[in-house]
Amino acid sequence: MNSSTEQKPLPARRGGRFADGTPYVEATGGQRMGKYALDVVVILALFVVLFFVLAIALDAAGVSSESGAGIALPSAYALSALGYGFIAGFSRTLGAKAAGVRNLRYREGRPMGPFQSAWRTLLLALFWPVILIVMLGSLFSGSPGFAPNISRARHYVVADVRSR
């Protein structure tokens, strides 16, 4: 084989160990960005549906359109994020499944529960523009990715489940 047809080895992936010593492979910045982007699209789609359902229900209840919009807008957004996160807490979000990653607890490597997942998804829904901008910047700057797992106070790890 000549040097042009030889396959080059893949770059090493960042890995680590959970607090109990079990090894894991950390998700790349691209996997994280894809996961968050798809989750935001799903949350926004759920928001649109819930907004119209709540607006129609409030209109049928006799609430004025200005008051109804003021109630339906934040309610639909919060409910779409909390509901999506709660349901995804039993498995994974659609973005995590598509990217092949899983949010795991640092101490024992177990998945988050539905309540923790719901709050995490609500925070994602509230701050998604900032998160995506920072993630894009980290991808193009050549840094190891958004929020690498190097903090002493970490509680969760985004692990690549395809590489296990």
Side-chain angles (χ1 to χ4, degrees):
M1 275 182 135
N2 62 25
S3 62
S4 64
T5 59
E6 288 181 19
Q7 289 189 356
K8 296 178 182 177
L10 295 174
R13 303 272 311 269
R14 285 178 47 141
R17 294 192 178 276
F18 293 110
D20 66 359
T22 307
Y24 67 88
V25 176
E26 188 175 335
T28 65
Q31 286 175 310
R32 289 172 187 243
M33 190 176 77
K35 169 188 163 322
Y36 286 127
L38 184 58
D39 285 344
V40 165
V41 168
V42 171
I43 290 169
L44 290 176
L46 287 172
F47 161 70
V48 169
V49 171
L50 280 174
F51 175 74
F52 283 114
V53 168
L54 286 174
I56 291 168
L58 289 171
D59 186 47
V63 177
S64 70
S65 60
E66 292 84 16
S67 298
I71 294 169
L73 192 67
S75 299
Y77 198 65
L79 286 174
S80 64
L82 285 171
Y84 179 63
F86 185 81
I87 291 170
F90 293 104
S91 176
R92 288 187 283 173
T93 63
L94 294 176
K97 286 181 182 180
V101 299
R102 175 168 263 169
N103 291 325
L104 302 172
R105 293 182 180 140
Y106 174 69
R107 289 192 176 167
E108 66 272 353
R110 289 190 358 229
M112 290 188 255
F115 293 106
Q116 290 171 325
S117 178
W119 285 113
R120 186 179 176 107
T121 307
L122 179 63
L123 290 175
L124 166 68
L126 292 175
F127 299 108
W128 66 266
V130 174
I131 292 171
L132 289 177
I133 288 169
V134 170
M135 291 178 85
L136 281 172
S138 69
L139 280 176
F140 293 121
S141 69
S143 69
F146 178 67
N149 298 317
I150 56 175
S151 168
R152 289 185 185 169
R154 64 182 163 200
H155 298 286
Y156 299 103
V157 171
V158 181
D160 185 351
V161 294
R162 292 183 188 169
S163 62
R164 286 187 171 183

